[in-house]
Amino acid sequence: MICYFQGCNETGVTKEHIPPRSFFPEDERHQLLTVKACKTHNNDKSTNDLYVLAQICMHSSPSNRAREVFLDRVAPQLSHNNDALRRLLSKGAVQVPGGVLYPVDQARFDEFFTALCCGLVYKSQKAQLPPNYRISHIYHQLLDNGSAEWKQLVAAVDEFYGAKPETVLDFGRPDAQNERIYTVEIYGVPHFGGSITIVHRFFGVFKVTSMLTRLVER
Ligand SMILES: [Zn+2]
């Protein structure tokens, strides 16, 4: 079976969890999906995953679940390898009135969400995303500067992609006392008949819209 990653020709020899196992407390991993990955595209245990999880938790306020996951999954890792993760997160941090502003490394987010999208498509379509799709992401919480332009852009994106989801994959255990950790909706035409939109939500707060645009050959 071929690796899940777009454009990769290697055989999938390992299991990749989508989203990563590291995002979930030990007792909530039973519903995670897996895809076949080659060694290069298996991101399990990568620093990048933890970086993205930490940032998502930090930007999901107020969410008790995000706080809980941060304390359970991220906090114990902060001091490993000479504070590697702590230093990564606080790189470029600036003191502002009322707190500290942590800049976000968008390249790390893009890498993470592109891999996640490849996994979701592979799982729902049972095929690798074809090479003529370009993947880009909008991070609603990270980019929201409160401006009218931003609100307009988000409204336009929501309207454009407001069609009914083709497939809804539901992750995490429904729990009346807590928000779920991750939900996702996939919008698009089956069998790669057109562009695909994937809407991710973490803790019911942190929203990411991934646009998988099908480029038409001339
Ligand atoms: Zn691969």
Side-chain angles (χ1 to χ4, degrees), residues 2-12 36-42 128:
I2 197 163
C3 168
Y4 79 100
F5 203 87
Q6 182 189 33
C8 181
N9 293 318
E10 302 289 316
T11 304
K36 288 284 185 187
C38 73
K39 282 194 178 133
T40 308
H41 293 115
N42 189 308
Q128 201 185 59

Side-chain angles (χ1 to χ4, degrees), residues 51-66:
Y51 175 85
V52 170
L53 176 61
Q55 288 283 9
I56 288 174
C57 290
M58 288 153 71
H59 285 88
S60 295
S61 165
S63 162
N64 290 334
R65 200 74 229 268

Side-chain angles (χ1 to χ4, degrees), residues 61-72:
S61 165
S63 162
N64 290 334
R65 200 74 229 268
R67 186 170 183 276
E68 180 196 322
V69 168
F70 188 88
L71 292 175
D72 184 63

Side-chain angles (χ1 to χ4, degrees), residues 46-56 58 85 88-90 103-106 108-109:
S46 88
T47 313
N48 215 23
D49 289 353
L50 265 178
Y51 175 85
V52 170
L53 176 61
Q55 288 283 9
I56 288 174
M58 288 153 71
L85 181 61
L88 191 61
L89 285 168
S90 55
V104 172
D105 184 342
Q106 197 179 322
R108 287 179 183 275
F109 266 76

